[in-house]
Amino acid sequence: MQTTSAALHQQPPVAANSGHPRGLYVLFATEMWERFSYYGMRALLSLYMIKALLMNKEMSSLIYGNYTSLVYLTPLLGGYVADRYWGNRRSILIGGLMMAAGQFALFFSASLYQTGQADAPQMQLLLFFLGLGLLIFGNGFFKPNISSMVGTLYPAGDKRIDAAYTIFYMGINLGAFMSPLVCGTLGDTGNPADFKWGFLAAGIGMLLGTITFELLKHKYVVTATGAPLGAKPERSVEHSPVVPTQTDAPVRAETLAQPSKSFASKLPMLIGLFVVIYAAIAWLMNRDWIGALVFSAMIVAPITILTDSTLTAREKQKIYVIFILSFFVIFFWGTFEQAGASLTFFADEQTDRTLGSAVVPASYFQSANALFIIIFAPIFAVLWTWLGKRGAEPSSPLKMSISLMLMAVGYLIIAFGVKGVDATTKVSMFWLITMYMVHTFAELCLSPIGLALVNKLAPARFASLLMAVWFLATAAGNKLAGVLSGLYPPGPGEFAKAAKEGINLPNILNGTTQATADITAKLSSLELTSHWPTFLGFQITSLYDFFMIFVGMSAVASLILFVLYKRLYTMMEEPVTA
């Protein structure tokens, strides 16, 4: 699961009091239930689109990528509104209620499913997209504000803050571990009519989190002096500091940092540039408007920062490090976030999930990452400390290179598990579980250090804007994950769907049977293709081919970053010489 804590500005250490304020445990419980809601729904999302909405894998992957990428864009809006108008408390309440409403919209959508339906009714689709929209915007108001309140429970420089974020992080992973088990048990039963119960459980979890916060916030979510945290801002934005005293949130309203005086004159040029890049990317992505928005923002945001005339050479050098590492982060999340899309397809169709006399729901496997985080995060923390005392701890860029190589190793494991295996043959769940464990190691080498790195390198007046760039990279990575998942080759589900119409799809794909115009039209009406997907000119004719895409992409990115890491470390640590 992705971490949500950010490093604080350098403050003189304050002696720690014994224990933690009770407000921390209120925030812990609130966030745990929110993550329960999010990951429970995510465990069912792709399966629901395919089995109940009757979408093909390409379309479900597109929607999945759009949804998860927008989840990382809306916190910019939510943080802005909270810090200027609503405050943290009201934003959390509104965001929580919106997300609960989104889950209930999915429940009502799933309730309209009729066994044997040939197409999803319009109302079922309308409620589905309404639910996703409410979840996206609700997350934007909820997520940055709940995270930002953790650090403000403590005086500036309090030594307990690191431990507080560790406790908060465990709440995230506890919720992420429980939710696929609960929602999967209720919704992923093999009967598409039961998906509604999983979404209902996710909605109830979100309500529990919101109610917990609302009932206890006045008594416990207060500053060290007893003042309420997250009240409505009293000062207008123009009098607010660009950088807060404590930057303890993943995305704050100050993301929209005060520009230099020359910014206004460049604004028309930047808007024009964005429009041109957006149009070009939308054309290249076959009018994928959301993908174009994410990738265009990822290009224009760095240009916006670098054109600021107040930046010194030293500041630019550090900013270049952030941009370069952000680029590599896109490839990490593009491969890691297959968990909710292509790897769910694999778990459902080609993993032998029998355990004794029971069949493990495919959604259960999305609990693996959170469980491994809970087990191995303390071990990695001890490892980095042990290496640090001996002067052997890898630098942040090197850790990221290691992370990408571990992603490649994880996919290499599962690629060997399916090599030479027929598309209708199921393989042991050992391969999938082992891959998730290795990918957890990869996450622990990258995710916890990213936000701290941005905080360390960013000039103070651009701290929040550069944090936004980092999260834009995460959004871009999630979008890339959806695009790549769409390359998943046709398998048992598609073969069976075609066979019901008397079409031998494997023979058509392999070229042993020529598809007539009538067969091609019939396949199109079934949202099936008569051709194998292609990537960079290569046909993907098996799961081995598909998983090797991620092996190659992650390994190449890792090796390039490994070549660059010493130079990046120098740019981070050494002053610019004339």
Side-chain angles (χ1 to χ4, degrees):
M1 303 301 117
Q2 298 178 36
T3 56
T4 59
S5 62
L8 299 177
H9 282 297
Q10 296 298 320
Q11 301 277 2
V14 174
N17 299 320
S18 59
H20 290 274
R22 292 183 180 180
L24 174 64
Y25 301 102
V26 173
L27 299 180
F28 171 97
T30 304
E31 179 68 1
M32 181 191 72
W33 283 116
E34 187 276 329
R35 291 291 86 183
F36 175 94
S37 173
Y38 175 82
Y39 284 106
M41 172 268 187
R42 195 190 78 158
L44 301 176
L45 180 58
S46 294
L47 296 173
Y48 176 67
M49 285 189 281
I50 290 174
K51 296 184 178 184
L53 297 180
L54 306 177
M55 297 178 181
N56 59 27
K57 290 186 175 76
E58 183 177 5
M59 177 57 69
S60 63
S61 296
L62 174 66
I63 294 172
Y64 175 83
N66 287 343
Y67 167 71
T68 55
S69 63
L70 289 175
V71 158
Y72 282 93
L73 287 183
T74 52
L76 307 182
L77 171 65
Y80 179 87
V81 171
D83 279 357
R84 283 152 175 77
Y85 305 108
W86 290 353
N88 297 119
R89 295 183 174 213
R90 181 180 295 181
S91 296
I92 290 170
L93 174 62
I94 292 174
L97 292 176
M98 286 181 71
M99 284 192 286
Q103 299 287 13
F104 293 134
L106 294 179
F107 164 74
F108 289 120
S109 171
S111 298
L112 295 177
Y113 173 81
Q114 297 294 324
T115 303
Q117 67 183 28
D119 294 296
Q122 286 298 313
M123 183 56 67
Q124 186 182 2
L125 290 170
L126 178 62
L127 287 170
F128 172 70
F129 287 112
L130 173 64
L132 292 187
L134 287 169
L135 287 167
I136 288 167
F137 283 99
N139 176 82
F141 291 121
F142 185 97
K143 191 65 179 171
N145 293 294
I146 191 74
S147 301
S148 69
M149 298 185 80
V150 174
T152 52
L153 289 167
Y154 302 85
D158 194 308
K159 292 181 178 181
R160 294 174 295 169
I161 292 178
D162 287 345
Y165 273 115
T166 300
I167 294 170
F168 187 70
Y169 183 43
M170 295 306 290
I172 292 172
N173 285 285
L174 182 59
F177 169 69
M178 294 190 306
S179 55
L181 304 180
V182 175
C183 297
T185 298
L186 296 172
D188 185 15
T189 64
N191 180 4
D194 288 336
F195 279 116
K196 60 179 178 286
W197 304 121
F199 293 135
L200 179 63
I204 292 172
M206 191 65 248
L207 273 183
L208 286 174
T210 305
I211 292 171
T212 296
F213 179 79
E214 195 64 18
L215 292 179
L216 301 176
K217 66 182 182 182
H218 296 295
K219 185 174 183 180
Y220 297 118
V221 185
V222 295
T223 65
T225 59
L229 281 173
K232 184 178 179 180
E234 296 180 359
R235 294 183 297 172
S236 61
V237 62
E238 56 265 27
H239 299 298
S240 297
V242 172
V243 180
T245 305
Q246 294 176 317
T247 53
D248 46 30
V251 180
R252 296 280 294 176
E254 294 81 6
T255 298
L256 303 178
Q258 298 291 338
S260 67
K261 293 181 180 179
S262 64
F263 180 79
S265 63
K266 297 175 183 177
L267 187 58
M269 181 271 291
L270 292 171
I271 292 174
L273 180 64
F274 180 85
V275 170
V276 170
I277 294 175
Y278 180 80
I281 294 178
W283 178 74
L284 290 172
M285 298 184 68
N286 195 24
R287 290 184 293 182
D288 182 350
W289 308 115
I290 294 177
L293 172 66
V294 173
F295 293 124
S296 300
M298 190 65 208
I299 295 172
V300 175
I303 295 174
T304 302
I305 296 172
L306 290 174
T307 55
D308 190 278
S309 60
T310 65
L311 288 172
T312 66
R314 177 61 178 143
E315 288 173 335
K316 283 187 176 181
Q317 204 173 47
K318 289 186 175 183
I319 289 172
Y320 282 133
V321 174
I322 295 174
F323 290 162
I324 292 169
L325 294 178
S326 296
F327 174 75
F328 286 99
V329 162
I330 295 174
F331 295 100
F332 174 83
W333 292 119
T335 53
F336 186 89
E337 282 296 326
Q338 294 300 311
S342 67
L343 292 174
T344 296
F345 305 153
F346 178 75
D348 183 55
E349 292 184 344
Q350 287 199 244
T351 299
D352 181 3
R353 294 179 279 114
T354 56
L355 197 63
S357 60
V359 177
V360 178
S363 53
Y364 274 23
F365 290 92
Q366 292 197 44
S367 286
N369 174 243
L371 176 62
F372 288 135
I373 286 283
I374 293 170
I375 294 172
F376 291 106
I379 297 174
F380 270 73
V382 171
L383 173 64
W384 298 140
T385 301
W386 185 81
L387 290 173
K389 289 179 178 178
R390 288 156 179 77
E393 182 180 1
S395 64
S396 295
L398 182 55
K399 285 181 181 177
M400 291 186 179
S401 175
I402 294 170
S403 173
L404 286 163
M405 186 56 70
L406 287 171
M407 292 300 298
V409 171
Y411 278 109
L412 189 62
I413 289 170
I414 202 167
F416 277 119
V418 299
K419 187 176 183 180
V421 173
D422 184 83
T424 59
T425 301
K426 295 187 176 184
V427 301
S428 169
M429 66 177 76
F430 162 83
W431 302 105
L432 192 56
I433 293 173
T434 303
M435 183 213 67
Y436 275 130
M437 182 177 70
V438 175
H439 283 184
T440 299
F441 298 162
E443 182 186 2
L444 290 170
C445 289
L446 181 141
S447 189
I449 66 172
L451 298 171
L453 182 71
V454 174
N455 187 79
K456 174 183 176 182
L457 297 178
R461 64 192 181 284
F462 284 110
S464 296
L465 188 55
L466 285 164
M467 191 68 75
V469 171
W470 187 261
F471 275 84
L472 277 173
T474 305
N478 277 265
K479 177 59 186 175
L480 178 62
V483 172
L484 295 175
S485 178
L487 301 174
Y488 195 89
E494 289 77 15
F495 297 163
K497 191 174 182 180
K500 288 181 180 180
E501 302 297 326
I503 301 173
N504 190 325
L505 185 55
N507 284 352
I508 292 174
L509 291 168
N510 293 326
T512 57
T513 299
Q514 186 67 34
T516 65
D518 288 342
I519 290 177
T520 301
K522 186 63 177 177
L523 289 173
S524 179
S525 69
L526 295 171
E527 295 188 336
L528 299 175
T529 179
S530 59
H531 303 284
W532 293 112
T534 59
F535 179 72
L536 299 179
F538 295 96
Q539 279 193 332
I540 303 170
T541 63
S542 67
L543 283 175
Y544 175 80
D545 295 339
F546 177 74
F547 289 131
M548 287 305 292
I549 292 173
F550 301 102
V551 174
M553 187 170 67
S554 300
V556 169
S558 173
L559 292 174
I560 294 174
L561 186 54
F562 181 78
V563 171
L564 295 175
Y565 91 86
K566 289 185 178 179
R567 173 59 179 162
L568 293 175
Y569 181 75
T570 301
M571 292 169 67
M572 291 166 53
E573 302 297 331
E574 299 297 329
V576 176
T577 57

